[in-house]
Amino acid sequence: QVQLVESGGGLVQAGGSRRLSCVISGSNGDIDIMRWFRRSNGKHNEMAASITPDGNTNYASSLKGRCTISTNSAKDTLYLQLDRLTPDDTAVYYCNVQKHGLLGYSKWGQGIQLTVSS
C-alpha cells in the first residue's frame, strides 16, 4: 500500500522560501509520475509541478522560475522548493503519485498548509 506523508508547511513571510517534502512508502519503484498540487481557499486544485522518473519536469505558469521539484536518489522522497513566496501561494499542498495502466493507481498525501504572510 503506497502512502504519502507531507511535511515542511507552516507560516512564512512574503519573499521567503520553503521546501516541502513528501515521503513515499510502499512503492516498488513503479511510479510513472510524481506531482505537487495545491488548493487555495475557494479555488480548485492546481497542479503546481510534476516530475517523471527520468527527470522531466513541468511547472504551473504561476510558479515558473520560483519553484523546483525534485526527488532524492532513491526516489522515495519528493521535494518542492518554493522561493520568493507571495500571499497568493498560500494553500494546502498535496503530493500525488501515479502509476499508469490496468494495475495503476493514484495516491495522495493528506495535504499540508503553507501560509504566506504579507
Side-chain angles (χ1 to χ4, degrees):
Q1 179 81 352
V2 177
Q3 293 185 323
L4 311 177
V5 179
E6 299 104 334
S7 63
L11 178 64
V12 62
Q13 287 191 326
S17 298
R18 183 72 66 153
R19 187 175 81 162
L20 306 180
S21 300
C22 174
V23 174
I24 306 164
S25 61
S27 165
N28 61 1
D30 59 355
I31 294 170
D32 289 312
I33 190 165
M34 293 175 274
R35 299 185 178 111
W36 285 97
F37 287 82
R38 63 182 185 176
R39 179 182 292 172
S40 304
N41 282 342
K43 297 183 181 179
H44 58 271
N45 271 0
E46 174 189 36
M47 193 201 74
S50 66
I51 187 167
T52 60
D54 57 1
N56 288 325
T57 57
N58 193 25
Y59 297 97
S61 57
S62 58
L63 287 169
K64 271 183 183 175
R66 303 190 296 118
C67 175
T68 303
I69 188 171
S70 63
T71 68
N72 63 350
S73 58
K75 293 186 173 53
D76 60 8
T77 304
L78 179 67
Y79 301 104
L80 187 70
Q81 175 70 38
L82 298 163
D83 300 312
R84 300 192 303 280
L85 287 161
T86 75
D88 287 341
D89 295 316
T90 295
V92 178
Y93 286 75
Y94 300 86
C95 62
N96 168 262
V97 299
Q98 285 189 348
K99 172 180 166 52
H100 303 317
L102 290 175
L103 299 179
Y105 57 79
S106 178
K107 299 294 184 182
W108 294 84
Q110 80 283 359
I112 193 159
Q113 177 72 44
L114 178 66
T115 301
V116 183
S117 63
S118 57

